[in-house]
Amino acid sequence: MKEKIKTILPYVDLPLIILALYMVFIYAPTDSYMGDIQRIFYFHVSFAWVGFLSFFCNFVGSIMYLIKKERCWDILAVSAAEIGIAFCLIVLTTGPIWARPVWGTWWTWDPRLVTFLILTFMYAAYMTVRNAIEEETKRARFAAVIGIIAFLNVPLTYLASHLWRTIHPDVIRPGGKWGLDPAMTATLRIAVPAITIFFVILLLRRMDLEGMRDRVAELKKKIMKEA
Amino acid sequence: MEGGLYYLFLAYTILWVVNFGYIFFLGKRYKDVQKELEHLEKIISGK
């Protein structure tokens, strides 16, 4: 079943990404104030949301590992964190590229930007700690604790524009209303699932890799024992 | 917005470079581990 899903998902996602790109560049209207540069927004927001989703997966994996002490939850946590960092890097590069012509600066110490940057650093620290600890159970336990603490920054990042004065645009206004043209909303509604499926594809592959590494470690131990 | 298309092109180029870079990086690690796994399995079956 898992293998079937892994085979099918790229075939589902590729047309969806192509459709999303078509909608971003052709279907969606040009923003009257920002012009074409606004078209960065669709994938920028999609990667940010799916980045949050990946950190949520890490959070679930971390909690479940501490409860059940099963390696599969640690595999989920580390795989999700690594992809989340890659997605955060995309957000942290496309954001300033959008900000340069719109705000007149690449970076400003805005609460949303700062909390997002801290979030990325926290998960980078998570990966660093993992690489620094040799012993498997100790590594997983330490990483799970850091993963849980790091996730506390996700709602803070999301709510930053509501909690503090910020110049970062907000897609969903207070009360759950979309502050966008209907065609722009439709484009975003295609781009988000396209990137979500892309994330699932990467996650399954990354989890496979971790499983294979375990098998290698197991075989190495077996050979050492027999030698 | 002046230079909008230039920045748009730059953003999407970086976006896909990071994505494909990560896919390549993941694929390379996958291949390396697979190779190592096959090698170890050969050693074990040869014993």
Side-chain angles (χ1 to χ4, degrees), chain A residues 24 33-34 37 39-40 43 47 82-83 90 97 100-101 198 206 208 212 215 219-220 223 226, chain B residues 1 4-5 7-8 11-12 14-15 18-19 22-23 26 29-30 33-34 36-37 40-41 44 47:
Chain A
V24 167
Y33 169 66
M34 289 183 258
I37 192 69
R39 294 178 200 276
I40 290 176
F43 276 82
F47 275 102
E82 188 182 286
I83 300 165
I90 289 172
I97 292 170
R100 182 69 186 91
F198 180 58
R206 181 62 183 81
D208 269 359
M212 279 163 65
R215 179 88 182 115
L219 289 181
K220 274 183 180 170
I223 291 168
E226 285 175 11
Chain B
M1 216 54 63
L5 280 175
Y7 289 109
L8 185 67
Y12 275 92
I14 290 174
L15 190 149
V18 172
N19 272 321
Y22 183 70
I23 292 170
L26 191 61
R29 283 189 295 173
Y30 203 90
V33 176
Q34 203 159 25
E36 197 177 358
L37 194 60
L40 292 171
E41 275 168 351
I44 286 186
K47 275 190 175 178

Side-chain angles (χ1 to χ4, degrees), chain A residues 157-178:
Chain A
T157 306
Y158 179 75
L159 294 171
S161 51
H162 300 289
L163 295 173
W164 296 290
R165 215 178 268 243
T166 170
I167 53 168
H168 190 280
D170 223 356
V171 184
I172 299 174
R173 303 250 163 92
K177 282 192 175 172
W178 291 70

Side-chain angles (χ1 to χ4, degrees), chain A:
Chain A
M1 183 67 183
K2 194 181 163 194
E3 286 305 313
K4 228 180 190 178
I5 292 172
K6 268 192 277 182
T7 316
I8 292 168
L9 278 182
Y11 293 102
V12 175
D13 199 32
L14 189 65
L16 210 56
I17 287 178
I18 292 168
L19 177 66
L21 285 169
Y22 167 80
M23 290 180 85
V24 167
F25 290 105
I26 294 160
Y27 173 75
T30 307
D31 186 89
S32 56
Y33 169 66
M34 289 183 258
D36 282 318
I37 192 69
Q38 184 270 344
R39 294 178 200 276
I40 290 176
F41 152 86
Y42 304 103
F43 276 82
H44 173 80
V45 171
S46 302
F47 275 102
W49 282 358
V50 181
F52 288 160
L53 173 70
S54 66
F55 294 145
F56 178 70
C57 291
N58 174 277
F59 179 65
V60 172
S62 299
I63 288 181
M64 291 307 288
Y65 178 79
L66 289 180
I67 296 170
K68 298 205 164 191
K69 303 270 183 279
E70 286 169 358
R71 170 78 175 131
C72 61
W73 294 110
D74 184 46
I75 288 179
L76 171 70
V78 65
S79 306
E82 188 182 286
I83 300 165
I85 292 170
F87 283 13
C88 281
L89 286 180
I90 289 172
V91 177
L92 285 171
T93 45
T94 53
I97 292 170
W98 170 86
R100 182 69 186 91
V102 178
W103 290 344
T105 178
W106 295 101
W107 182 265
T108 175
W109 297 100
D110 180 89
R112 171 62 73 81
L113 275 65
V114 172
T115 48
F116 198 89
L117 184 67
I118 292 170
L119 185 71
T120 312
F121 283 153
M122 284 175 113
Y123 281 94
Y126 171 91
M127 294 305 287
T128 310
V129 166
R130 285 199 75 97
N131 292 333
I133 303 172
E134 289 263 332
E135 210 266 303
E136 196 186 293
T137 49
K138 194 178 171 189
R139 178 180 59 208
R141 208 174 52 243
F142 265 70
V145 173
I146 296 172
I148 292 166
I149 294 167
F151 185 76
L152 299 176
N153 200 20
V154 171
L156 194 70
T157 306
Y158 179 75
L159 294 171
S161 51
H162 300 289
L163 295 173
W164 296 290
R165 215 178 268 243
T166 170
I167 53 168
H168 190 280
D170 223 356
V171 184
I172 299 174
R173 303 250 163 92
K177 282 192 175 172
W178 291 70
L180 287 173
D181 175 277
M184 290 176 172
T185 308
T187 306
L188 189 63
R189 282 188 170 148
I190 294 295
V192 171
I195 301 307
T196 307
I197 296 172
F198 180 58
F199 161 70
V200 175
I201 294 168
L202 290 178
L203 184 68
L204 292 174
R205 293 283 168 193
R206 181 62 183 81
M207 287 172 76
D208 269 359
L209 175 68
E210 208 63 27
M212 279 163 65
R213 277 180 175 165
D214 283 359
R215 179 88 182 115
V216 165
E218 204 178 287
L219 289 181
K220 274 183 180 170
K221 264 186 204 166
K222 200 175 170 185
I223 291 168
M224 292 282 272
K225 247 186 198 176
E226 285 175 11

